[in-house]
Amino acid sequence: MEVPGFDPVGNQLYETYLGLPQRNAALYDQANAILLAPKVRGHLRLMSALSDVATFPETMRMSEELVRLGFQHELSIFANSGHGQAGQTARYNDEQRTQFFVRHLRP
């Protein structure tokens, strides 16, 4: 049975470190990266994978918030990967990350 609005993975990720949201609402607000989106400056590359149950939803929420704010960013999604990549997908991601750094961090 699913409960609307309940995120079991998010609860496992955050409650372990932050305690219950009802007891630490301010701490949850401080840890919410989406609320920091308006402060993002420079260049940003987000990356996630469809099978990554831990971070994919947050990656999509952050990307959507950046789009809503008009902030240009790069987004890479890997269809057949989980939280880590292997093989050709890992090599592709490494090359994309390297090229991002070359484009944006070169002196």
Side-chain angles (χ1 to χ4, degrees), residues 4-106:
F6 178 67
D7 177 9
V9 174
N11 287 353
Q12 290 175 355
L13 287 173
Y14 305 120
E15 286 180 9
T16 301
Y17 302 101
L18 304 180
L20 295 173
Q22 299 85 347
R23 294 186 184 160
N24 287 312
L27 190 56
Y28 271 76
D29 286 344
Q30 289 175 352
N32 185 345
I34 306 301
L35 298 177
L36 298 175
K39 296 180 180 181
V40 174
R41 301 290 180 265
H43 304 281
L44 180 66
R45 176 180 184 258
L46 300 175
M47 160 289 148
S48 192
L50 289 178
S51 297
D52 186 348
V53 297
T55 62
F56 183 72
E58 282 79 11
T59 302
M60 294 297 94
R61 284 194 272 282
M62 176 59 87
S63 181
E64 181 60 30
E65 183 64 14
L66 293 169
V67 168
R68 190 184 72 70
L69 294 168
F71 185 87
Q72 295 293 317
H73 62 288
E74 295 182 24
L75 175 63
S76 296
I77 303 296
F78 299 106
N80 294 314
S81 295
H83 194 65
Q85 293 77 48
Q88 184 60 34
T89 302
R91 288 187 291 278
Y92 180 86
N93 185 39
D94 290 346
E95 180 61 25
Q96 291 295 304
R97 182 177 44 245
T98 299
Q99 291 304 315
F100 178 84
F101 290 146
V102 166
R103 282 192 312 276
H104 301 298
L105 298 180
R106 180 171 270 167

